[in-house]
Amino acid sequence: MTWGEGTRAVRAGLPEARAYEPTLPGPVFAAHYHLPGEPTGPYTYGRDENPTWTHLERAIGELEVPGRTDVETVVFASGMAAISSVLFSQLKTGDAVVLPADGYQALALVREQLAAYGIEVRTAPTGGDAQLSVLGGARLLWIETPSNPGLDVCDVRRLVAAAREEGALVAVDNTLATPLGQRPLELGADFSVASGTKGLTGHGDILLGHVACRDASLAGSVRRWRKIAGAIPGPMEAWLAHRSLATLQLRVDRQCATALALAEALAARDDVSGLRYPGLPGGPSHKVAAGQMRRFGSVVSFVLPDRARAERFLEALRLVDDATSFGGVRSTAERRGRWGGDAVPEGFVRFSVGAEDAEDLVADVLRALDEVR
Ligand SMILES: Cc1ncc(COP(=O)(O)O)c(C=O)c1O
């Protein structure tokens, strides 16, 4: 039987029902396990494996590629730990890697570190599939689509096909879309990587990351890196994340519908420019996004005339916290330029749509814009 996405989200990763056991077993807090004789697992030491991770990893895997049992997922302490696990387990001195020029800010730090290890780092923008132009001879292509914070989109299938010709592995940072919005492994990628800190867990209260792959040896190398670096999630965080997955479809559907309503309302204003939402028909990334995304995410970005206007706008909002990150049930927004790491105008606002009523949220935004005009 094929279940719908909501049903799968609700049941993802649950163990077989056993009398008098909870549906979702509670977090297992253990640094070590009873281990008589030879150390042949599955649970030996707390940095290697934990039953709470196992349930969560199964759950995420079921969402990453529905109906397949050959997906292996590895959870991490944060999205950056997940990203680092792929890059640093796959690349060695003398290799070339292609990164997006406009990806998540901390990629710039990763880039410096890779270069320090003698790895050639090439960058190109996400939009227009520009990474194709620097792919020659690369060992790994790193894609982030939609990109954060510019919300550009690239054609994953096309990039994967080109990477295959070069013999390059492909990793997709799927943080913004979540597995309900986009399935990188089905689009041909070798690694689907995400920060679970955002929409996947969706409450703005934990940090988490994961890597999913179909190839067991790639999964093994990522798992090995987790053991070496010790970048492991706490059992409580893993359990909270699993609990949150049950509402993933509810949250994401609501957030995406409201994000589109907000984008449509913003499109009608003359004090807003540079509006981006991949789900907005007629928008610059909509066509490519519609070919590979099932939902378009909770983030809308736009530009107000200058820094002062953006700051006053953020202050005037009542339902939206001035905070970084995205994907949570409470709307947040920030003037992205305050961090200094993104090539964005001073008045650029990254807006993360929460689970408030769409009418309330859109009204709050329009009122705040009017007030600071
Ligand atoms: C696209 C993207 N990837 C990765 C990360 C890093 O995730 P974390 O903060 O969980 O380490 C972020 C964080 O904002 C992000 O936006």
Side-chain angles (χ1 to χ4, degrees):
M1 185 170 50
T2 330
W3 287 338
E5 286 176 313
T7 310
R8 278 193 289 99
V10 165
R11 299 215 57 87
L14 297 180
E16 293 245 327
R18 287 181 44 190
Y20 319 118
E21 295 282 332
T23 308
L24 175 63
V28 174
F29 298 100
H32 56 259
Y33 305 83
H34 289 297
L35 188 64
E38 290 301 306
T40 50
Y43 301 108
T44 56
Y45 184 59
R47 181 166 25 79
D48 298 347
E49 287 300 340
N50 175 293
T52 312
W53 305 347
T54 307
H55 291 135
L56 176 62
E57 288 174 344
R58 276 194 203 131
I60 296 173
E62 286 171 23
L63 300 176
E64 286 278 353
V65 188
R68 299 280 300 230
T69 50
D70 58 349
V71 179
E72 263 195 64
T73 302
V74 186
V75 288
F76 286 90
S78 68
M80 283 315 299
I83 289 174
S84 299
S85 79
V86 174
L87 292 169
F88 293 106
S89 68
Q90 301 308 314
L91 296 168
K92 57 180 191 319
T93 305
D95 285 342
V97 59
V98 176
L99 300 182
D102 49 353
Y104 173 54
Q105 266 189 9
L107 275 188
L109 302 174
V110 175
R111 184 176 161 177
E112 280 171 27
Q113 197 58 51
L114 291 166
Y117 291 154
I119 294 157
E120 182 197 345
V121 183
R122 305 175 192 158
T123 60
T126 299
D129 301 340
Q131 287 176 297
L132 285 175
S133 64
V134 288
L135 204 51
R139 161 90 183 123
L140 179 75
L141 166 65
W142 190 272
I143 294 171
E144 185 180 306
T145 181
S147 62
N148 168 28
L151 302 181
D152 259 324
V153 167
C154 59
D155 183 337
V156 178
R157 289 187 196 87
R158 183 173 176 223
L159 284 158
V160 165
R164 290 280 168 268
E165 304 232 315
E166 296 293 335
L169 294 165
V170 181
V172 176
D173 184 328
N174 201 37
T175 300
L176 208 137
T178 83
L180 292 193
Q182 184 167 261
R183 298 178 188 158
L185 299 181
E186 284 188 355
L187 296 170
D190 299 287
F191 303 93
S192 176
V193 186
S195 165
T197 312
K198 322 287 174 196
L200 191 74
T201 64
H203 292 71
D205 50 14
I206 56 175
L207 278 99
L208 199 87
H210 76 265
V211 177
C213 12
R214 271 177 167 169
D215 182 297
S217 77
L218 292 181
S221 58
V222 164
R223 203 176 286 282
R224 179 174 173 275
W225 190 92
R226 180 177 69 181
K227 178 176 170 128
I228 295 169
I232 55 168
M236 190 69 195
E237 280 76 4
W239 182 80
L240 281 169
H242 199 159
R243 185 180 188 271
S244 302
L245 287 185
T247 55
L248 183 63
Q249 191 217 35
L250 287 172
R251 289 185 279 110
V252 170
D253 275 351
R254 169 71 157 241
Q255 288 171 289
C256 291
T258 306
L260 180 60
L262 177 63
E264 281 167 345
L266 292 172
R269 295 193 63 103
D270 62 6
D271 50 353
V272 168
S273 62
L275 175 66
R276 298 300 294 264
Y277 181 62
L280 189 65
S285 29
H286 183 64
K287 198 161 166 259
V288 180
Q292 63 194 18
M293 296 184 77
R294 310 160 66 80
R295 296 172 174 82
F296 299 105
S298 60
V299 182
V300 177
S301 62
F302 53 94
V303 182
L304 295 179
D306 54 37
R307 171 179 175 160
R309 180 84 75 97
E311 284 174 348
R312 284 190 288 121
F313 164 69
L314 292 168
E315 238 175 80
L317 291 164
R318 289 187 199 132
L319 290 177
V320 183
D321 296 333
D322 186 348
T324 196
S325 204
F326 56 84
V329 287
R330 295 174 198 91
S331 291
T332 57
E334 70 171 336
R335 196 181 67 79
R336 195 61 190 166
R338 66 180 171 176
W339 296 98
D342 299 306
V344 292
E346 286 290 339
F348 182 99
V349 174
R350 188 185 71 185
F351 196 110
S352 170
V353 172
E356 299 86 359
D357 286 309
E359 312 80 72
D360 294 339
L361 190 68
V362 172
D364 193 42
V365 170
L366 298 182
R367 179 198 48 75
L369 284 173
D370 287 341
E371 251 176 59
V372 302
R373 195 194 268 275

